Structures are given as structure tokens and as C-alpha cells.
Amino acid sequence: MADKLIGKDKIGDFLKALMSKYTVVAPIERGDAPAEFQEIADGDTPVLDGSKNMMPPKDYLLPRHEVLVKIDMSGGETKVETPLPEDKPRVIMGAWLPDAQGIQVLDRVFLDRKFIDPYYARRRENLALVAVIPAEMRWSWFCGSVDDVDTWKAGVDALMYDLGDKFYVEVNSDKGAALLEGAPMSVVSDVDVAAKDKLWTEFKNTGLLPFAGKALYENLAWDDPVWGEIADKCIACGMCSYMCPTCTCFDIQDETCGNCVERYRCRDTCQFEDFTLMGHGHNPRSTQLPRSRQRLLHKFRYQHEQFGVVGCTGCGRCVELCPVNVDIREVLCRTCAEPMEQAAEN
Amino acid sequence: MIQDTIRQEAKKALESGEVRMVIGWGAGSVPFKTTPVFVDNPQDTDKLIWNPACTNNLAVYLTKLARDGKVGIVAKPCDVRSIVTLIREKQVKRENVFIIGVGCGGVVDATSLQNGDVKLREITSLEWDGGDLLVTTETTKTKLSAAAVLREQCKECDDRTPSVSDVSIGEAVVRASDLKIEIPGLSEDRQKYWAEQFSRCIRCYACRQVCPACYCETCFCDRIEPKWTAKKATTDEAWMFHATRAMHLVGRCISCGECERVCPVGIPAVELARELNAIAKERYGFEAGDPQADKPLLGNYQENDVDPAHHSE
Amino acid sequence: MSEQTTVEKEDTQLNEQTKEWQPSILAILCNWCSYAGADLAGSARMQYPETVRIVRVPCSGRADPMFVLKGFQKGFDGVMVLGCHPGDCHYAKGNYYARRRIAMTQDLLKALGIPAERFHFEWVSASEGNRFSALIKEFTRQLQELGPFEGVDR
């Protein structure tokens, strides 16, 4: 399908038509708080242009609280229920492209290997992804530094570029084409193509840092003094992980009440002291230093070794929000760019 | 200039061997943020800075760093109130802290700079110009009124000079007066208001970790037995966490507002503690940051304390 | 609130005889006075509604505000803390500490928007069995007027 334009005034009608066939998941504004991906209903006005601060879409695919098993013994007999999400066609709209790429990373963890996570899989199957490049890039983005962003387009079914009063829509798959079938769209002109290309180039070059490609995962050293420096400052909250579009770690807990048991999954993070605390009291990561190191090495080295993807998409949430301004970009400049320079000198 | 004096005082303290380290603010990764720095060499004291973005309450590091041996700390009046609390509650020894107090008229909320024409990416420096914040970019200079950029907790703060210090730098500054903290929606149905706020909580514990008054070795919510609050991020569990935290902060919270600043989902957690502290001040004459108070609020009583019993017969 | 986190349903059933809704009350009682007072009410066969679930603590000073908060989180319709009269504490001053702590807890509940009528703090001595039974009756009636607690996450 050729690229098309859709006027912003037509988005409402388009959404309405879409909602008759799909469950539409899009960022809903919540006052000053970041918008959250929710299944939208009639009358909702989601943020589709990527202009607002938002929670990562993983909040929808990997909910903060998800019941895996329910055991009910109240009626005398034991009933076991595994409440899988409903099987229905869904579409995620309005995710920033780096966040959509984050879903690719989640897929590697939950779908690629020997075990397929049924809960994640259920939400992910039949899911179409429509990403957006906003008119204005966020100051904290550094997507072009972590990966070849051109390859990211293959992971989304359609990509919308915000061109002011209209979106330029690039369709990348049959799923995307089906999604847009019958939408009130018009043909693109050369001017539109040029405007879209300009926006893409801007996205590619936003926050470009002096490292790329292999340097990112090859130069990260286990014994780099930078880990100690981060650990000194780090107050050990889990904000960077919980807001990260690619952090996948979770905990499973059982809760009882009277005659029932609920086994649920919730978020967990390598930044917490009890993450690696063993039942007998030993903690292999007993100080903040190995915890700080773990998060970055996992993202940039271990995940690359394991799955061939970099576990960071440059969305900049941790850059913007870290309470003590531990800036992942600075850390990478130290760990990746400096060794590169040294290698060039020799 | 205040910044130079901070550096000189830090250098003196380090050179004389009085302290082994000075905790202060350093340049952040971007000009509108600062980051904590730990200077242990007199040559490195030029890493210390002072600007309108020095928001972090550095007292949070004292329980860890001032345990053995003396450290210096650069502190705003609110940070000093935290230090006072830590000393009163015997988490830090007074003789282990060298306080470089700095007069302050409020610090800036970086995210509020985005309003209007200023683009965060282009900012090169922030400085006060009387009651205005002067935001400099490569090409422009913009003045923003203090009322528009001050952190919420700074708006009603009238503590402008450190109550306790070993060296005091700078003078009391009044940037804007008669400003009020505004919490939209709080005055209506409170139960509904807080349920909505807490429904957003992702349980990252940034509020707890950034708080100098949250010094417990093991927080109640990290305990498995008894399980005060489950790990799941549901509204009722988040309510239990925030309500208990507020209760634990009664008489400890000095309203620096760090918990509110760092919350990624915008929960004004400090409001609960602030409200309770105002009551404690009125009813018991107790203020968390008051160096004269020798015992913690709830570790003390008077025989004629107000009686909360209902006395129904 | 999910079913799993609410107080067991039998606590909020209709009373068979009166067909009136019965609230569930969490009562935290000091061992030396209030619990003994409740005991007296029991041994003297004084009638009071079966709405109350008693937790015995060594002293009202042991009544952690978290007990109160947990009670509301778990969906109790009302929570009460009872202790020895000021000056009568078995541990000399435990109830003086409790007095401040409970006063601040009341303020916290108010700040959180939990109706003040759902929390009850009172001094009850070991000889006041009568008073204990009257208190439970009164608190139950008060909660019946208010209706069920919708939960902290409504």
C-alpha cells in the first residue's frame, strides 16, 4: 500500500471505524501525570501525535499487576482458574517509535525462546502496532545512537509522522494495510514526502552521541570505575526500570485470603536490594555497585549476546526522570566512547 | 559569589583534614539539572556548583556516609532541617557533619521550564535575576517569573537561612511572596482524590529512597512477614504504602518536597505529611526541622496532651 | 477492590433476626484494661452485637497506626482502639504515647478522606464491661447509619 495522508480532523472518524473492528489501545491523558496506554472507549480523546509525556506501552502488554492463577476452595471443591487475557484483535496507536521498538525487545524475552509466556502472547497475538514520530523530538531521545533506527520500521505495521495538521502514514505490513482500509485518506505529494523525510532525519539525528553499533556492547567493561560512581549517587529506587519500555523483570507472589489463593505477577527490578536476596540470607549483589552495573550490562551486553538486540531504545525516560541525574547517555559516553577514542589513538 | 565561597569553604575543610569528603551539587548532564557530587580531594572542589537547579536534598546520603568519620555537606535551609531531624533521631552525630549552609529563596522545577517558548534542549544556563529566572539559550535570554518556575514546596517556604551550620553562606533571599501551594482537586472528595492518585503508583519507591527521613534499614513494605503491603501495584496496596509512609513521616518530614519532585507519575505524596505537620505544630508546638526540639514528636508526650478519645458513655 | 482483598463476606452478612446489615469492626484492645473489660462483658453475659473482631495487644501503646490502616485497607467498616484511662497504664505511660499517636492517626485518616465516624478511640477500664458493650452497640449503630465502607480504592 502506498503512503497516505490523513488529516487530523479526520482522526476521530478513523478511530471510530477502527474501534468497530479492533480493540484500540492508546495513550489517555491523566492531568500532569504521563498519559497511559488504555483500551479506549467511545468519547475518549487519546494522544496520538506523541506530543505528551507517556508511560511505556509495556504497561499494557505486561501489566503492573496480573493475576496468573486463581485457586478457589470456598465451595468445598478446588477450582483452579488461569485468567488469560481475552483473545481479540487489538491495535496499539500513538506509541513513540522507540517504545514500539521496545516491544520488539519484550518479544525476544517472552516469545522467542523455549518458553512462550501465554499471558504476554495472548495480548501480543493479533496486535497491530501503529507508531508515531512526533513533530517535536524530546530532548532526552538518543535513539540513533543505540541502533540503526531504519531497521525499526520493520517492527511496526504503520508509522505516522506528525506534519502539523495531518499525519503522513507509512504502511509497513499487510496488517497495517488492513488497518487503514477504508480510512479517509488522501494521496501524498512530493512536498509531503520531503516533509516526512525531514522529520525522519531529525529523529535519526536527535541526541546523536559519539558511539554506535558494536562499541555499545563490546566496550562495556565489568570493572569500569563508572559503576562505582553511579552507585555512590544512586538512591536505589526502581524508577528507571519501571518506566523503561524494555525492562522485563517481574516477581511472582502468592496471596491467600480465606479460601482462595491468588498468584500474581508484578514488577521487580535489579535495582532493589531484595531482588537477588536468597532465602537463606545471602545476597550475591549485596551493594549498589553490582546492581547499577547489572542494569546497564544487561541492557547493552547480555541481551545483545542472548537475543541480538540492544535492550535500550533511547526513549530517554530515565534520562529525564532519574532523581539524582544519573544520565545513561553520559555513562555510555564514558564506557563506550572513551575506549573507542583510545583504540583510535593506538 | 556564593558558588566560589562554597568551593573555598569546601577546600578549607578538606585541606585541613577536618572532613574526608564534601557532599554537594555538581553540574548535571544538562544545564537545567544538577547531580550530587562527592568531593574527597581539595583539587576537585571546583566540581561544586550553586545554581537555581540545586534541588536534591543531599541529607539523604548522610546516614550512609557520615556513619564513620566526618563529612561536609552543602545544604539549603530545608536540607538543614533534614539534618537536624537526623541528628535528633540519632541517625547522624552532629560532630560527624560539617554543614556548609547556603541561604536560599527557592529552587526551580525543571519541567516547568518547558512551558512557553523555552526549549529545554537549548538551555545553556539558569540564573536568578532578582525575582525572575533568567534562562539563557545559545541565541536568547528569557525571563520567567519565580511564581511560574519555583518548585511547589518552595512557594510557601519562609525558611531562607540555615538554622544550624558550621559555615553560613549567602543571605536570605525573597524571590516572590504570598505564593500558595496549589493542589487542584484535593479540597473536594479526598478519599476519591487519593484513590485516583494512588491508582497511578508504580511502586518504584523513588519517593521513599529520595527521602532523608526514610532512613529505616528495612522498610515495612519490604518485609515479607508480616506482609504489611503486597508488592503488587494495585490501588489499595499503594494506599497502604503511602498512608503508612505519611504516618511514619509525622514529625520527621520537613516538607522539602523531594518525593513529589521525583515521582514519575506525579503523586503529591508530600501533601499528607505536610498537612499532618501543620497540625502537629499547632497542637503540640512541634516542628520537625526545629533544632530546639530534643525528642521526636511521637517519642514524647505531655500529661496535658489533647485527648482524642470520644468519651461516649 | 478485588474479592481476595476484602474481609471475608460472612462479616458483612445480614443479621438473620433483624435483617439489618451488620458492619465489620476491627477492635484493637489493650490487654490490661480494655480486653479485661470486654472479658467482663462476656462473663457477665452482657449482650452486644457480634460485629466486632478483637485483636489483643499488650498496651494501647502497641496499637500501631498501621493496624488501623491495614484494617481499612482490608475493608473493615470501622476500626476502634481501646486502652487504659490516662494514668492507669500497666506500663506507666504507654497510653500517653498512644494518645499522641492515635490523635495523629485520626488526622491522617481525615487527610485521606476516611470519615471520622469510622474510627473510634476510647479509654475503657477492666471494670467497665457495661461501657464496652454500650460502645460496641453505639459504634455498630453509627456504622449502620453510614453504611458499608466502599474501600480505600473506590
Side-chain angles (χ1 to χ4, degrees):
Chain A
M1 186 174 158
D3 297 349
K4 289 274 173 67
L5 289 178
I6 181 163
K8 284 190 177 170
D9 53 336
K10 301 233 172 63
I11 283 285
D13 296 340
F14 168 59
L15 269 182
K16 215 167 199 175
L18 206 57
M19 279 160 69
S20 64
K21 286 181 279 180
Y22 298 84
T23 297
V24 180
V25 179
I28 300 285
E29 278 198 80
R30 302 180 298 176
D32 285 341
E36 187 176 52
F37 281 88
Q38 288 171 6
E39 294 185 0
I40 61 169
D42 259 344
D44 284 340
T45 45
V47 189
L48 296 182
D49 60 3
S51 63
K52 294 277 161 50
N53 194 3
M54 61 177 97
M55 304 294 286
K58 88 168 173 190
D59 260 28
Y60 178 75
L61 285 164
L62 197 64
R64 300 202 289 267
H65 169 238
E66 179 167 40
V67 177
L68 305 178
V69 184
K70 263 184 186 168
I71 302 168
D72 186 359
M73 295 176 295
S74 55
E77 56 179 311
T78 306
K79 276 182 280 178
V80 181
E81 194 193 333
T82 44
L84 280 177
E86 209 183 324
D87 187 12
K88 54 185 180 183
R90 297 173 165 88
V91 52
I92 284 188
M93 303 270 300
W96 293 333
L97 184 59
D99 284 356
Q101 173 63 17
I103 295 173
Q104 300 295 317
V105 180
L106 300 183
D107 285 354
R108 300 294 200 285
V109 177
F110 289 101
L111 303 176
D112 250 23
R113 288 277 161 144
K114 288 169 191 152
F115 180 75
I116 290 181
D117 184 283
Y119 304 89
Y120 180 86
R122 203 32 103 64
R123 287 196 187 81
R124 187 65 176 95
E125 281 160 8
N126 300 325
L127 176 72
L129 264 176
V130 180
V132 64
I133 302 283
E136 197 169 323
M137 309 302 153
R138 293 186 78 83
W139 65 267
S140 55
W141 281 4
F142 57 107
C143 312
S145 301
V146 291
D147 206 353
D148 175 4
V149 291
D150 285 293
T151 64
W152 290 3
K153 288 185 181 179
V156 294
D157 298 294
L159 182 58
M160 308 191 349
Y161 299 80
D162 185 353
L163 300 185
D165 57 346
K166 61 202 168 198
F167 289 110
Y168 183 106
V169 187
E170 216 170 62
V171 180
N172 298 328
S173 71
D174 295 343
K175 237 192 214 174
L179 210 63
L180 293 162
E181 218 174 68
M185 297 167 69
S186 53
V187 272
V188 297
S189 69
D190 289 349
V191 182
D192 302 320
V193 176
K196 172 215 72 161
D197 286 343
K198 185 165 166 269
L199 203 61
W200 180 251
T201 313
E202 200 188 327
F203 170 68
K204 259 173 106 163
N205 293 328
T206 293
L208 223 47
L209 299 164
F211 56 80
K214 282 203 301 186
L216 208 54
Y217 36 88
E218 283 185 351
N219 287 347
L220 277 182
W222 174 265
D223 49 6
D224 199 305
V226 78
W227 311 129
E229 286 166 37
I230 301 176
D232 284 344
K233 276 184 208 180
C234 178
I235 53 170
C237 71
M239 210 249 347
C240 49
S241 306
Y242 285 9
M243 294 299 283
C244 177
T246 67
C247 267
T248 54
C249 287
F250 58 80
D251 192 5
I252 292 179
Q253 302 230 337
D254 289 345
E255 214 167 280
T256 58
C257 179
N259 286 320
C260 50
V261 180
E262 203 178 66
R263 170 165 295 179
Y264 64 84
R265 171 153 74 183
C266 60
R267 296 238 196 288
D268 206 351
T269 164
C270 52
Q271 299 306 298
F272 288 163
E273 187 178 353
D274 58 5
F275 185 71
T276 46
L277 184 64
M278 309 284 167
H280 61 284
H282 176 64
N283 193 346
R285 290 189 211 129
S286 60
T287 61
Q288 190 56 36
L289 189 149
R291 291 177 218 143
S292 298
R293 171 172 59 204
Q294 169 65 19
R295 183 160 187 274
L296 272 90
L297 284 189
H298 190 215
K299 287 214 170 305
F300 293 99
R301 208 167 86 188
Y302 309 152
Q303 282 205 322
H304 188 266
E305 285 166 9
Q306 234 180 328
F307 305 120
V309 291
V310 174
C312 168
T313 62
C315 77
R317 284 189 181 83
C318 57
V319 174
E320 290 186 27
L321 294 167
C322 177
V324 293
N325 190 226
V326 170
D327 191 323
I328 195 171
R329 302 171 305 172
E330 273 193 341
V331 179
L332 292 171
C333 284
R334 286 275 303 277
T335 53
C336 306
E338 280 176 20
M340 273 167 76
E341 283 162 22
Q342 283 160 14
E345 278 168 23
N346 294 334
Chain B
M1 240 178 86
I2 294 171
Q3 180 170 289
D4 297 329
T5 324
I6 291 173
R7 290 174 179 177
Q8 282 160 18
E9 293 296 341
K11 194 168 198 163
K12 255 195 268 172
L14 282 165
E15 272 173 349
S16 68
E18 181 164 14
V19 300
R20 63 183 167 84
M21 172 197 283
V22 173
I23 311 169
W25 301 279
S29 62
V30 284
F32 52 88
K33 282 182 186 264
T34 61
T35 188
V37 288
F38 308 92
V39 178
D40 52 8
N41 188 332
Q43 264 114 57
D44 291 341
T45 47
D46 52 3
K47 281 186 185 164
L48 296 167
I49 62 161
W50 172 249
N51 70 26
C54 291
T55 56
N56 289 61
N57 185 340
L58 302 171
V60 70
Y61 295 107
L62 282 182
T63 37
K64 194 169 71 180
L65 296 175
R67 187 157 290 171
D68 326 292
K70 191 168 189 174
V71 298
I73 180 167
V74 191
K76 305 186 292 290
C78 52
D79 310 342
V80 169
R81 297 203 298 272
S82 279
I83 301 171
V84 163
T85 309
L86 288 172
I87 293 169
R88 180 192 309 125
E89 307 210 344
K90 301 196 172 14
Q91 300 305 308
V92 174
K93 289 189 183 124
R94 176 68 183 94
E95 60 267 31
N96 276 359
V97 213
F98 180 80
I99 304 170
I100 304 174
V102 189
C104 171
V107 284
V108 159
D109 174 5
T111 52
S112 71
L113 300 177
Q114 289 182 93
N115 306 335
D117 304 331
V118 182
K119 286 207 174 77
L120 287 176
R121 188 188 289 128
E122 291 166 3
I123 293 175
T124 54
S125 79
L126 300 178
E127 58 191 305
W128 288 115
D129 182 5
D132 294 325
L133 182 75
L134 186 62
V135 183
T136 313
T137 69
E138 298 268 320
T139 50
T140 62
K141 279 184 189 291
T142 315
K143 272 190 187 176
L144 300 171
S145 77
V149 295
L150 276 184
R151 282 236 338 250
E152 204 66 16
Q153 295 307 311
C154 300
K155 286 183 182 168
E156 278 183 21
C157 175
D158 53 8
D159 188 12
R160 303 174 202 277
T161 46
S163 55
V164 178
S165 62
D166 295 291
V167 185
S168 188
I169 301 170
E171 284 163 14
V173 197
V174 182
R175 303 253 178 255
S177 48
D178 302 331
L179 293 181
K180 282 270 169 282
I181 296 177
E182 274 169 43
I183 312 286
L186 184 60
S187 53
E188 289 141 38
D189 182 345
R190 278 176 172 252
Q191 201 185 335
K192 192 163 160 237
Y193 172 84
W194 286 114
E196 268 168 14
Q197 297 294 318
F198 297 151
S199 72
R200 295 200 303 267
C201 180
I202 57 173
R203 301 294 288 277
C204 70
Y205 299 136
C207 49
R208 177 189 80 188
Q209 296 302 104
V210 82
C211 178
C214 275
Y215 53 68
C216 289
E217 292 250 343
T218 306
C219 179
F220 72 95
C221 55
D222 288 340
R223 285 185 184 274
I224 295 166
E225 197 64 52
K227 197 176 201 170
W228 288 111
T229 132
K231 213 166 176 174
K232 58 185 175 187
T234 53
T235 306
D236 65 312
E237 298 293 349
W239 182 92
M240 187 63 198
F241 165 61
H242 287 282
T244 307
R245 182 166 173 269
M247 192 63 217
H248 285 180
L249 288 179
V250 171
R252 295 199 169 87
C253 171
I254 51 86
S255 306
C256 63
E258 279 287 273
C259 48
E260 189 178 345
R261 173 182 71 93
V262 302
C263 181
V265 293
I267 300 172
V270 66
E271 270 321 296
L272 287 173
R274 211 169 67 89
E275 213 172 315
L276 296 181
N277 280 337
I279 295 170
K281 185 182 173 188
E282 198 191 311
R283 190 186 294 150
Y284 305 112
F286 181 93
E287 269 190 284
D290 178 6
Q292 308 303 325
D294 60 338
K295 280 184 174 171
L297 173 71
L298 298 183
N300 196 10
Y301 69 89
Q302 301 293 328
E303 287 200 2
N304 59 354
D305 271 350
V306 173
D307 194 342
H310 285 73
H311 295 305
S312 59
E313 291 305 322
Chain C
M1 188 183 295
S2 72
E3 262 184 292
Q4 277 67 32
T5 58
T6 51
V7 183
E8 279 91 80
K9 284 296 168 205
E10 57 263 28
D11 279 354
T12 50
Q13 275 170 0
L14 294 179
N15 183 305
E16 283 303 316
Q17 278 90 47
T18 59
K19 298 286 172 207
E20 221 176 346
W21 170 75
Q22 296 294 303
S24 59
I25 299 170
L26 172 69
I28 300 156
L29 268 51
C30 134
N31 177 51
W32 302 98
C33 293
S34 315
Y35 190 82
D39 224 17
L40 179 63
S43 52
R45 311 238 159 179
M46 294 169 192
Q47 293 293 310
Y48 62 87
E50 64 271 31
T51 48
V52 61
R53 298 289 176 275
I54 294 175
V55 175
R56 179 164 62 153
V57 289
C59 172
S60 53
R62 176 65 182 93
D64 193 318
M66 288 167 82
F67 298 168
V68 178
L69 297 173
K70 195 73 186 167
F72 283 118
Q73 186 216 347
K74 287 296 181 191
F76 277 99
D77 300 302
V79 179
M80 65 198 310
V81 177
L82 307 180
C84 305
H85 286 271
D88 287 352
C89 180
H90 186 77
Y91 305 101
K93 49 191 182 182
N95 54 359
Y96 284 123
Y97 288 109
R99 192 165 58 178
R100 273 198 178 191
R101 207 170 293 149
I102 296 298
M104 292 316 292
T105 308
Q106 282 180 340
D107 297 320
L108 173 66
L109 292 172
K110 197 174 149 218
L112 285 164
I114 310 286
E117 297 83 5
R118 292 197 182 277
F119 179 67
H120 202 97
F121 178 61
E122 196 58 87
W123 313 114
V124 174
S125 81
S127 62
E128 293 175 318
N130 249 337
R131 191 144 166 271
F132 176 79
S133 105
L135 264 176
I136 301 294
K137 279 183 203 155
E138 171 58 20
F139 195 32
T140 301
R141 192 196 54 74
Q142 196 176 317
L143 291 171
Q144 277 170 335
E145 267 171 32
L146 273 175
F149 181 51
E150 322 83 322
V152 296
D153 55 355
R154 69 154 180 158

